[in-house]
Amino acid sequence: MIAEPGTYPTPPEGWTCFHCGMHFGPTFQGWQEAFHHFGENVRGDAYCQMTARQVRGMEDMLRQYREEDTALHRHIARIESEHAIALRREEEKGYARGLRDARLVEAEAQK
């Protein structure tokens, strides 16, 4: 959840990252830049502390979600496919049963 500006009092000097020394002013733009740098999760790493490998991993994960190509998407597609196959088989069984019953009725009518 994103905190709105003004929720907490802004320090008069703004924010400074103690990892890299980057300073963010006490303006709305400074607040936005600080939010982007530090992130919304207090347990996460500041942007300056992330390795290129972590950033590339996050970009790859985002690409997979955009392309709907994650393990979850594959699992859902497999379940939908299995359901469609089972449904088709049951419809074919019902159709075959209907044909069999029609032949029995026709055979009874011809006697």
Side-chain angles (χ1 to χ4, degrees):
M1 183 170 153
I2 299 173
E4 294 296 323
T7 304
Y8 298 102
T10 303
E13 65 281 346
W15 299 270
T16 303
C17 178
F18 62 84
H19 295 293
C20 66
M22 190 170 195
H23 180 74
F24 307 98
T27 63
F28 180 72
Q29 182 180 356
W31 176 84
Q32 287 179 319
E33 291 170 357
F35 183 77
H36 178 71
H37 186 80
F38 296 114
E40 65 181 55
N41 186 348
V42 296
R43 292 183 185 97
D45 293 331
Y47 187 74
C48 63
Q49 295 297 298
M50 292 183 185
T51 65
R53 183 178 298 246
Q54 288 174 307
V55 173
R56 295 294 179 247
M58 288 186 289
E59 289 173 345
D60 188 49
M61 187 184 304
L62 180 60
R63 179 193 55 77
Q64 288 177 344
Y65 273 95
R66 285 182 177 160
E67 294 175 358
E68 296 181 356
D69 189 29
T70 63
L72 173 65
H73 291 104
R74 290 178 187 160
H75 182 71
I76 290 170
R78 183 178 57 79
I79 289 173
E80 287 175 343
S81 177
E82 290 171 355
H83 179 260
I85 290 169
L87 185 62
R88 191 172 336 133
R89 285 183 182 149
E90 292 303 315
E91 287 175 349
E92 289 171 356
K93 282 182 190 176
Y95 184 75
R97 201 174 314 126
L99 287 177
R100 185 192 68 223
D101 291 347
R103 283 190 205 114
L104 289 173
V105 169
E106 187 177 319
E108 290 293 323
Q110 288 180 358
K111 287 186 183 180

